Amino acid sequence: MKLFVVSDLHLEASETLGTFGWDQEEFIAMMETVRKTHSIDKVVLNGDTFDLCKSAYSDIAARNEKLISYLTGINALFVKGNHDISLPFGQKHFGVINGKGEKIYIEHGHRGDFINGTAVGRFIGKMFYRFLKCVTRVSFIQALYYGYLEQDEGLKGHRYYNSYKYLRHAVKLHRKYDVVILGHTHKMEHHDTYSRGNYKRYFNSGSCSFGRFQGIVLDTETLDHRAIRFDPPQASKKYAKPVSRPGRAPSFPSVRLSEALLLGPLHRTYSYA
């Protein structure tokens, strides 16, 4: 079976906190290109597909009706993340055992840190987003918020973040599983590890927010994999600048499908556990 694992679309209905950055039809066209090119059997949406910290699901569904209809129509599998943990459907994780007995495990990955991996931390985060939703109605504060996101998402140069704690989380999972795929960090990664003398793989599927299109294609039988990555050119100049009118969502340009998809294996690093 061939899987295409994507995560962190952060679909929402907020007028001031939007970060998806895609026209629905163009996103669907990109998804169809990958599905047909790589003969995908199952699309796995690995958490934070919906940003329920910012908007109610009913409002998100109304605003993104065409995209959600498409995803349900292709029987995409929804895994819950920290931003959509209260989703009325979906599951906490997804697993496959191939013909050789190798175990593939997919989860969002937020259990690797306190703020997102515990009920207390998520409550703090939800209260923060409620506060942010109010104050970003002021255009100046909205500009500060999106300026921060530029830095945090790596849209303005290199992004610094603690990848160790998520790698450590994956290594713990490697005690039971041969391949682990996480999302959550918005950072594509691939680490080959050895756990108890056995060869293991860890992937991170990146993010499909801010007009990016990132994911992992994995053949569950052969474990052959491909990284799918599309990063809009000059993202730092285009994707985090809110419009000048207060109370409106940031203006994201549509992404031309003629822009190239980057298809290939991720850079590998090696570690031992």
Side-chain angles (χ1 to χ4, degrees):
M1 178 168 61
K2 270 196 174 182
L3 303 177
F4 182 41
V5 184
V6 299
S7 65
D8 297 274
L9 280 68
H10 288 275
L11 299 175
E12 42 65 49
S14 169
E15 289 296 321
T16 59
L17 300 176
T19 58
F20 180 48
W22 276 96
D23 173 82
Q24 293 181 63
E25 291 185 356
E26 290 188 340
F27 187 86
I28 291 169
M30 291 287 268
M31 184 68 77
E32 279 298 290
T33 298
V34 174
R35 289 182 68 225
K36 292 174 181 177
T37 301
H38 295 278
S39 302
I40 300 300
D41 298 302
K42 176 67 73 175
V43 172
V44 180
L45 296 159
N46 193 20
D48 286 3
T49 304
F50 310 101
D51 207 323
L52 302 184
C53 292
K54 299 177 183 177
S55 309
Y57 177 74
S58 58
D59 295 331
I60 296 172
R63 184 168 181 172
N64 299 277
E65 181 179 1
K66 186 175 294 185
L67 177 55
I68 294 173
S69 177
Y70 165 77
L71 293 172
T72 55
I74 63 171
N75 294 317
L77 189 146
F78 292 85
V79 174
K80 298 181 182 184
N82 54 297
H83 280 252
D84 52 12
I85 199 165
S86 59
L87 198 64
F89 55 89
Q91 53 200 72
K92 292 182 179 179
H93 50 78
F94 174 65
V96 176
I97 301 176
N98 66 18
K100 298 181 242 181
E102 295 167 315
K103 298 178 181 178
I104 297 98
Y105 178 82
I106 301 171
E107 71 162 53
H108 184 60
H110 57 280
R111 294 191 300 139
D113 66 86
F114 169 77
I115 289 294
N116 299 294
T118 65
V120 173
R122 287 191 296 271
F123 176 78
I124 294 171
K126 193 166 186 176
M127 291 303 101
F128 170 74
Y129 275 110
R130 286 187 180 180
F131 169 75
L132 198 61
K133 193 172 182 178
C134 293
V135 299
T136 51
R137 293 172 184 169
V138 179
S139 58
F140 170 70
I141 298 177
Q142 189 189 67
L144 289 177
Y145 170 68
Y146 280 98
Y148 165 77
L149 288 183
E150 279 190 320
Q151 298 289 344
D152 188 56
E153 293 286 338
L155 301 177
K156 291 180 68 175
H158 184 69
R159 180 187 178 206
Y160 294 94
Y161 84 108
N162 181 7
S163 62
Y164 171 72
K165 59 184 176 181
Y166 301 106
L167 176 58
R168 182 177 60 185
H169 179 57
V171 167
K172 287 181 181 179
L173 292 170
H174 279 158
R175 295 170 185 170
K176 294 177 61 177
Y177 305 103
D178 300 287
V179 178
V180 171
I181 303 179
L182 307 179
H184 184 56
T185 67
H186 296 203
K187 176 81 171 179
M188 294 193 82
E189 290 188 80
H190 172 198
H191 297 272
D192 292 331
T193 74
Y194 288 87
S195 179
R196 300 178 180 179
N198 296 314
Y199 180 56
K200 311 283 186 173
R201 295 178 176 92
Y202 158 53
F203 300 98
N204 192 293
S205 53
S207 173
C208 287
S209 61
F210 281 96
R212 295 169 295 197
F213 191 86
Q214 301 175 350
I216 301 295
V217 172
L218 178 72
D219 187 318
T220 60
E221 286 302 316
T222 65
L223 301 188
D224 289 340
H225 61 275
R226 303 286 289 180
I228 308 298
R229 181 166 187 166
F230 170 85
D231 293 331
Q234 297 182 326
S236 62
K237 294 182 180 179
K238 293 182 179 180
Y239 276 78
K241 301 298 184 184
V243 294
S244 58
R245 291 166 291 178
R248 295 293 301 278
S251 179
F252 294 116
S254 61
V255 180
R256 295 189 304 275
L257 292 178
S258 58
E259 298 289 355
L261 276 173
L262 301 181
L263 309 179
L266 283 170
H267 174 69
R268 295 186 177 189
T269 60
Y270 294 87
S271 57
Y272 297 84

